[in-house]
């Protein structure tokens, strides 16, 4: 089926070439980092994780969010998700690819990456994270491919795929939970040392991932012959609305615990992020966008309007990207173990590499979506559902 | 000097008995409460340092100690503090004990410099999180680091509550005078984490840690698991504090603070 990625319109190839350009620039920047060390990034002895790990954390959420389509479709037999569920599964594949690439570019000794497998260390959460991410990638590749293949042939998905699909549901939860455990199990990092971190991760994932999916569906409708249909998009929007409410509520809980208890070490990171660090404008942007998005997406009338829905999804995506793809990791390293503040800002090299990885993910996504859409065009099932 | 070099080997030999004694001791006194569970290892050795800050006075004293460590271990001096590599260094009271301070502490305390280094924690989070066992705990309590296995993920840096670990953000050899390095100790490459190793290489030769040797008795090295050891003697007669006790890592570096009374 992959051959369908090789025949495409001019627009398709323009997009592919642009993405390849970004990947090329990212690769050159990475070569520079590889030769000169991670010192070319904005990270430091105090802020030892930066942009790469925060992007990884954010994208694990996008990957996990596929489950928000898989559950209604396969578990509750919600037929309307029939044509959109594959978009979620392919988005998961692209996101996990990005996650793994981000971990790779963050390593000081990338040539030794096999050490994680050669010396398996069950007491390290990182070991489990690598395990669950690889497993999730495998599951989605197999499931996505098998269902699309079956669809092409006009037969139901093979029986062996059912157990894998059911397995993928707790597995999706596990990838984000385990990623949260990377942070939540560290003594001395008060910002992360919270039992609701995994829940917060899941809430933001189930808002951010499906929001991106809605945007992708709207883009596909505009630029391709594929139409996911109004109803499925509305159903996903409802999921986004609930998840975003939960996410905002959970962040509020963190604020209450920190400030009502008045324990300095618990307040410091929040004070840095929202009151006196270099991330203050970004964090407030995130907060305002989050609140605004609730106004736009919660009332059914607003949500029902696809233009408003689009803006709500953009707001949610940016808000969560700032919150998790930036604030969460940086906030955890500030204050430092010495109760001092070391600021962090990504360098140009770091930003170029980051863009390159995103472009790689979007290339994977573009190719996979192209295949899925081509198959449906051939079947004549790409138009709006009746 | 409060411990002679050969004594260290004797400590290691006697420590088996030491552990038995201390266990019996805590039983007799009925102290075997869950939260006071002994942090002493079965090996009977838990190496520790006691730093008497009253005995280190001038800037030269501090410099002699930190230089001794950094020169024999080929630790580069990188001017950019963001890329710094340091095994032992100094900082003030507030930064060393951020959660044990109040605004009214004696003026001398506020002015005082403290020596900071890896605590060789009994329950080290850096070991817990390392995905390759590049950071591991030896039976004698030393938290060791194998730079050849390290993949540079820096998880251990996020996990250490004491900022004891350095990453080689840049090529450390560019900041070393390669003609003046210690040929008996390796230099490191870019992209790996490193820290104080409690001078494992010196202990293996029956020597004390370098910082201890040049400290004029201000730093005492010994076996915590041996109730008769010099470190235990000081700990039982002086008021000492450890860094961030609340995080439960159980540091093996103790600070004697307070007035004129100094450690043995
Ligand atoms: S001080 Fe930090 S690096 Fe040293 S053993 Fe403890 S946790 Fe590990
Ligand atoms: S940076 Fe090296 S020592 Fe630290 S956790 Fe990763 S592999 Fe282990
Ligand atoms: S014990 Fe050895 S390695 Fe550690 S600070 Fe002292 S001299 Fe340096």
């Amino acid at each position: 089926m992959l051959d369908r990625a090789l025949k495409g319109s001019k627009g398709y190839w323009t997009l592919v070439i642009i993405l390849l350009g970004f990947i090329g620039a990212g690769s050159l920047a990475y070569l520079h980092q590889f030769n000169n060390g991670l010192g070319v990034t904005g990270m430091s002895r105090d802020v030892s994780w930066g942009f790469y790990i925060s992007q990884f954390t954010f994208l694990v959420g996008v990957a996990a969010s596929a489950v928000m389509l898989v559950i209604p479709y396969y578990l509750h037999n919600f037929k309307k998700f029939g044509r959109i569920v594959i978009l979620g599964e392919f988005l998961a594949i692209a996101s996990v690819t990005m996650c793994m690439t981000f971990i790779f570019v963050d390593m000081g000794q990338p040539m030794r990456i096999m050490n994680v497998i050669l010396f398996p260390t069950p007491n390290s959460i990182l070991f489990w994270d690598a395990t669950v991410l690889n497993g999730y990638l495998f599951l989605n590749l197999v499931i996505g491919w098998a269902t699309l293949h079956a669809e092409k042939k006009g037969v139901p998905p093979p029986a062996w795929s059912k157990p894998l699909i059911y397995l993928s549901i707790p597995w999706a939860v596990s990838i984000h939970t385990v990623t949260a455990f990377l942070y939540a199990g560290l003594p001395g990092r008060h910002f992360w040392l919270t039992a609701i971190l995994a829940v917060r991760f899941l809430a933001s994932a189930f808002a951010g991932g499906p929001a991106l999916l809605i945007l992708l569906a709207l883009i596909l409708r505009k630029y391709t012959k594929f139409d996911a249909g109004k109803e499925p998009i509305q159903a996903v929007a409802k999921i986004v609305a609930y998840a975003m409410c939960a996410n905002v509520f959970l962040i509020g809980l963190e604020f209450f615990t920190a400030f009502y208890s008045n324990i300095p070490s618990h307040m410091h990171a929040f004070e840095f992020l929202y009151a006196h660090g270099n991330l203050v404008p970004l964090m407030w942007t995130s907060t305002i966008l989050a609140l605004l998005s609730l106004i736009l997406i919660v009332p059914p009338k607003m949500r029902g309007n696809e233009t408003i829905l689009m803006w709500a999804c953009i707001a949610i995506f940016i808000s969560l990207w700032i919150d998790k793809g930036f604030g969460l990791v940086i906030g955890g390293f500030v204050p430092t173990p010495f109760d001092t503040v070391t600021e962090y800002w990504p360098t140009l090299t770091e930003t170029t590499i980051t863009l390159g990885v995103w472009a790689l993910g979007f290339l994977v996504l573009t190719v996979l979506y192209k295949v899925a859409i081509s198959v449906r065009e051939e079947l004549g099932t790409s138009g709006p559902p009746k | 000097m409060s411990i002679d070099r050969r004594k260290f080997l004797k400590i290691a030999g006697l420590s088996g008995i030491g552990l038995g004694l201390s266990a019996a001791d805590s039983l007799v006194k009925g102290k075997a409460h869950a939260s006071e569970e002994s942090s002493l290892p079965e090996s009977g050795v838990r190496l520790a340092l006691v730093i008497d800050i009253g005995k280190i006075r001038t800037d030269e004293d501090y410099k002699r100690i930190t230089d001794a460590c950094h020169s024999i271990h080929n630790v580069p001096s990188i001017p950019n503090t963001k890329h710094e590599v340091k095994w032992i260094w100094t900082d003030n009271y507030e930064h060393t004990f951020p959660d044990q301070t109040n605004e009214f502490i004696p003026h001398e305390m506020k002015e005082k410099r403290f020596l900071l280094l890896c605590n060789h924690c009994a329950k080290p989070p850096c070991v817990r999180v390392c995905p390759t066992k590049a950071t591991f705990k030896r039976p004698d309590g030393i938290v060791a680091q194998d730079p050849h296995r390290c993949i540079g993920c820096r998880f251990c840096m996020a996990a250490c509550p004491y900022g004891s670990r350095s990453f080689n953000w840049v090529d450390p050899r560019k900041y070393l005078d390669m003609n003046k390095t210690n040929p008996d100790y390796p230099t490191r490459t870019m992209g790996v984490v490193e820290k104080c190793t409690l001078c494992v290489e010196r202990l293996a030769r029956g020597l004390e840690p370098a910082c201890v040797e040049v400290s004029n008795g201000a730093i005492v090295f010994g076996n915590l698991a041996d109730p008769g050891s010099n470190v235990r003697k000081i700990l039982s007669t002086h008021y000492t504090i450890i860094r961030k006790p609340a995080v439960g890592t159980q540091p093996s570096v103790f600070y004697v603070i307070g007035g004129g009374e100094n450690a043995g």
Side-chain angles (χ1 to χ4, degrees), chain A residues 198-331:
Chain A
V199 192
R200 273 179 61 199
F201 272 28
L202 288 168
S204 73
F206 295 159
L212 177 61
L213 205 68
I214 291 177
L215 292 173
L216 289 171
L218 293 176
I219 292 173
L220 290 180
R221 181 196 284 160
K222 183 146 189 230
Y223 294 100
T224 74
K225 291 200 193 82
F226 180 77
D227 188 347
K230 200 170 159 64
E231 252 186 285
I233 289 184
Q234 284 302 320
V236 179
K238 223 180 267 170
I239 294 172
V240 175
Y242 286 129
M244 194 60 190
C245 289
N247 181 56
V248 170
F249 175 64
L250 290 170
I251 295 179
L253 294 186
E254 297 278 21
F255 270 94
F256 172 80
T257 308
F259 288 94
Y260 190 78
S261 70
N262 198 39
I263 296 175
S265 48
H266 286 269
M267 298 188 288
H268 279 162
F270 290 102
E271 283 164 359
F272 166 80
L273 288 175
Y274 290 93
H276 49 67
N278 57 357
L279 299 188
V280 171
L282 273 178
M283 296 313 289
W284 280 107
T285 309
S286 169
T287 309
I288 291 166
L289 285 177
L291 296 175
L292 186 76
S293 74
L294 287 185
I295 301 174
L296 295 183
I297 206 167
V298 173
K301 271 225 178 83
M302 303 284 256
R303 183 167 73 222
N305 178 328
E306 280 193 352
T307 315
I308 294 178
L309 177 63
M310 179 188 79
W311 286 109
C313 288
I314 292 175
I316 287 173
F317 189 78
I318 297 176
S319 168
L320 294 176
W321 180 82
I322 295 173
D323 187 44
K324 262 175 86 206
F326 216 115
L328 179 98
V329 169
I330 313 308

Side-chain angles (χ1 to χ4, degrees), chain B residues 189-229:
Chain B
T189 48
M190 197 161 75
V192 295
V193 162
E194 58 182 70
K195 66 172 191 73
C196 153
T197 60
L198 210 65
C199 287
V200 269
E201 80 289 358
R202 288 171 60 90
L203 301 183
R205 289 188 282 142
L207 300 170
E208 291 195 306
C211 56
V212 175
E213 191 175 87
V214 303
S215 72
N216 293 335
I219 312 179
V220 178
F221 166 74
N223 178 13
L224 265 188
D226 172 7
S229 69

